[in-house]
């Protein structure tokens, strides 16, 4: 798993590429990205499945922020990014991944 950040000079946004590897999710059929930037709706952002079995998506996020997120495997199993910038406790006694977009 990983996140790659690209800061855009023309705006106050950061393009973040979220990637979940096949090694992390096995033969998953779908991975959905949900977080504070999707209002935690379970429909979230459906990630694209690559030929390698990895999943990826690109999201434009505001610069200078800390945003929480998690992944959902096959619509049921919630999990964190093993390489998140930070982790915070949530209201359900679990942890959320955090992506930081500070330059």
């Amino acid at each position: 798993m990983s996140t790659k950040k690209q800061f855009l000079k023309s705006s106050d946004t950061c393009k973040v590429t979220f990637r979940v590897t096949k090694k992390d999710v096995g033969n998953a059929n779908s991975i959905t990205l949900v977080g504070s930037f999707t209002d935690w709706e379970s429909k979230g952002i459906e990630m694209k499945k690559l030929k390698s079995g990895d999943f990826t998506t690109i999201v434009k996020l505001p610069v200078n922020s800390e945003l929480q997120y998690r992944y959902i495997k096959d619509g049921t199993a919630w999990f964190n990014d093993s390489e998140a910038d930070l982790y915070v406790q949530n209201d359900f006694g679990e942890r959320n991944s955090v992506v930081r977009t500070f330059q």
Side-chain angles (χ1 to χ4, degrees):
M1 287 184 241
S2 66
T3 57
K4 178 183 170 191
K5 301 167 194 163
Q6 178 185 9
F7 294 92
L8 304 177
K9 294 178 183 177
S10 59
S11 68
D12 287 338
T13 56
C14 176
K15 283 175 56 175
V16 181
T17 302
F18 293 88
R19 188 177 188 108
V20 177
T21 65
K22 181 176 181 174
K23 176 184 164 203
D24 293 312
V25 293
N27 291 322
N29 293 312
S30 69
I31 300 294
T32 305
L33 173 64
V34 295
S36 54
F37 46 89
T38 67
D39 293 327
W40 291 103
E41 293 184 34
S42 59
K43 65 179 179 182
I45 299 168
E46 193 70 29
M47 298 180 73
K48 180 181 178 183
K49 187 171 186 176
L50 306 175
K51 289 182 182 181
S52 65
D54 292 0
F55 291 82
T56 188
T57 192
I58 298 172
V59 181
K60 289 183 180 178
L61 299 174
V63 171
N64 299 325
S65 60
E66 288 186 347
L67 301 162
Q68 297 181 35
Y69 68 99
R70 294 188 83 189
Y71 299 109
I72 306 173
K73 176 183 174 181
D74 294 333
T76 57
W78 290 64
F79 65 100
N80 282 322
D81 188 330
S82 61
E83 297 182 18
D85 295 334
L86 186 68
Y87 301 95
V88 295
Q89 196 74 21
N90 65 27
D91 294 338
F92 302 101
E94 298 176 338
R95 298 184 316 159
N96 291 338
S97 303
V98 175
V99 60
R100 301 177 86 193
T101 59
F102 297 101
Q103 287 186 291

